[in-house]
Amino acid sequence: MVLTSCGALVALALIAGGYYWWGGPHERRAARQVLAESCGGVLPSDEVRAVLGDGPFESGPGRAEVRAAGEYARGGTDAYGGGKGDARQVTCAVRRETERGAGRPTHDASVEVTVQRLPERPAAGTAEDREVDVPRGFGALYPAVSTELPPAALGGGWQGLLTTGESLTSAAGEDSATATVLLDCARRRGGLLVTVDVEEEDVTFDDPRRRTALARIATATAARASGKWGCDAELGEPPRTVPLPVNADEDVPLADASGSCRGVPGPGSRASRAWEGTRPGGPVEVCVLAGGGAGEPLTGSAHEERRYSLVAYYGPYAVTERLLRQERVGRYSDEPVPGDTPAGGSPGGGHWASAACRDGGGPALFTVERSGAVDGEEHDRDGGRGATKASAAELAYERAALKEFARRSARAHGCGAPRLP
């Protein structure tokens, strides 16, 4: 009995020691170290653990790189803040380790964070102030934001957005979401852009706690980066709740629009409903118009279901959109694109306008596109099936809708009167 008791005590001691080393403080220290070493030390530990749990974690391949030369190499002296020749962007990924049957979470989850320094840009929206030329295959300077449906503004004093993978025709991407925060640095030092992508199996972002936890990773990262990189930006409050982006079935009668679609005219009976953002002040604003009955799915195949998308881009998002359009259309066509002229349009459909803004982010960009247009993105995706050339009446409507949309958005952001096509 004595020997048996001693053996049991030894076994318990080994189990306790193993838990202490592998499942206790040692594992927690290892998890904290992974977070402390990610993205140059600007990743917020508490906020990430609120999404991924307490660990264990594994880190993906982080990057620190210069994305452009010249004016993009100006800045502070921090190794991640960008003195001459230093990095202008850091990216890191942290994943939850999953071991089925080991008492740990059985579904995968990951957080990827990108922090980028933004240069100060001229406010004017003229052809002489066009954005930098990017070599073929270089890619956009900043992450683009999905604009098929209106994103949710974070509020709380932040220039920030939340988007999910849902589209007008499908609910794909319910287990992934992206939060972005844009900071204007003090004393004309440019800005910072933080992008956080979260993917988690078997979880939807219908739960407001999940959305708020994601947004807090972005805002806390932005606050830490602002101090570490010498940005000294004015910060907002930690988000208390974040609304869902507009869903495909959340349209309202166009006559009742009170958000980003307010005041935008409809082209006769073909555009009777609207999908709109409700919180003003985000760095990307979207208004989508279409016909049909309330809550009906859109196929885009019928003439009466043709939809119009109006988007306002500010700061780095205006830069990205101009560059994407130069890459997609400008290299293969003699027609002007945004970045060539402050305002204009394509004979096949689609117009743009610009406005000078005083925030140091450069000229804002406003666009209107029609689904099925000859030169639009819809045409690029479906290989030309159903694409039609815009009539004179449709082109006139695009200009009228863009005028009202751009005027209201620019005024809300403190920008000047838009240059219109």
Side-chain angles (χ1 to χ4, degrees):
M1 292 179 62
V2 172
L3 291 174
T4 301
S5 298
C6 290
L9 290 173
V10 170
L12 288 173
L14 290 173
I15 292 172
Y19 172 77
Y20 177 87
W21 185 253
W22 296 111
H26 172 75
E27 188 171 87
R28 288 194 290 271
R29 285 197 301 270
R32 286 196 295 267
Q33 184 175 0
V34 169
L35 299 179
E37 294 176 351
S38 299
C39 276
V42 299
L43 207 59
S45 176
D46 291 345
E47 285 76 6
V48 173
R49 287 190 289 112
V51 172
L52 297 183
D54 290 329
F57 303 136
E58 56 181 356
S59 59
R63 300 190 302 274
E65 58 185 322
V66 175
R67 293 304 306 269
E71 66 175 348
Y72 288 88
R74 296 201 306 264
T77 58
D78 182 87
Y80 289 93
K84 186 175 181 180
D86 289 334
R88 305 301 301 171
Q89 168 181 315
V90 293
T91 298
C92 59
V94 177
R95 293 183 292 272
R96 175 196 296 155
E97 288 187 359
T98 57
E99 293 186 16
R100 275 67 175 176
R104 292 174 178 168
T106 59
H107 57 280
D108 295 327
S110 65
V111 172
E112 181 169 316
V113 178
T114 300
V115 185
Q116 295 170 276
R117 172 86 74 171
L118 310 177
E120 191 79 10
R121 290 184 169 275
T126 66
E128 289 74 20
D129 293 323
R130 60 180 298 170
E131 310 300 343
V132 296
D133 290 323
V134 177
R136 187 185 301 274
F138 190 85
L141 290 172
Y142 311 115
V145 171
S146 174
T147 57
E148 188 170 356
L149 284 167
L154 298 187
W158 298 97
Q159 293 187 75
L161 302 169
L162 178 72
T163 60
T164 63
E166 184 171 357
S167 70
L168 280 168
T169 56
S170 71
E174 290 182 345
D175 59 350
S176 65
T178 300
T180 62
V181 170
L182 175 62
L183 295 182
D184 295 325
C185 296
R187 294 181 291 279
R188 303 189 65 82
R189 299 180 191 172
L192 289 177
L193 177 64
V194 174
T195 306
V196 179
D197 295 301
V198 170
E199 293 188 6
E200 188 167 6
E201 289 183 337
D202 304 324
V203 171
T204 74
F205 287 89
D206 289 340
D207 184 347
R209 294 172 298 180
R210 308 302 298 176
R211 300 194 300 271
T212 304
L214 165 58
R216 287 192 171 195
I217 295 177
T219 56
T221 299
R224 292 167 67 98
S226 177
K228 186 177 179 65
W229 291 12
C231 174
D232 298 330
E234 291 187 12
L235 307 177
E237 298 293 329
R240 295 184 177 181
T241 183
V242 178
L244 264 174
V246 175
N247 293 326
D249 60 354
E250 292 182 328
D251 55 284
V252 299
L254 179 56
D256 297 336
S258 59
S260 57
C261 293
R262 181 185 176 189
V264 176
S269 61
R270 291 198 304 274
S272 57
R273 50 181 174 154
W275 291 257
E276 61 175 355
T278 56
R279 283 186 177 180
V284 175
E285 296 178 354
V286 178
C287 166
V288 179
L289 307 177
E296 291 182 357
L298 291 175
T299 65
S301 59
H303 179 70
E304 61 272 12
E305 292 179 342
R306 180 172 296 161
R307 61 184 181 270
Y308 294 85
S309 295
L310 297 113
V311 186
Y313 302 92
Y314 294 89
Y317 300 106
V319 175
T320 290
E321 185 63 17
R322 288 186 174 98
L323 292 174
L324 288 175
R325 289 173 182 251
Q326 288 177 17
E327 180 72 21
R328 188 175 65 239
V329 179
R331 295 185 183 277
Y332 312 104
S333 172
D334 293 333
E335 293 182 4
V337 295
D340 293 330
T341 60
S346 166
H351 289 81
W352 67 91
S354 62
C357 300
R358 298 186 296 272
D359 60 2
L365 175 67
F366 311 95
T367 65
V368 58
E369 300 285 350
R370 166 178 66 90
S371 66
V374 169
D375 297 310
E377 293 184 40
E378 186 86 3
H379 169 68
D380 292 339
R381 286 196 297 267
D382 65 16
R385 296 188 301 274
T388 58
K389 191 175 182 66
S391 67
E394 286 171 328
L395 293 176
Y397 167 70
E398 289 181 4
R399 291 191 293 270
L402 181 63
K403 177 181 178 179
E404 183 62 24
F405 174 76
R407 183 185 67 82
R408 287 184 177 273
S409 181
R411 178 183 296 176
H413 283 259
C415 299
R419 302 265 315 261
L420 298 165

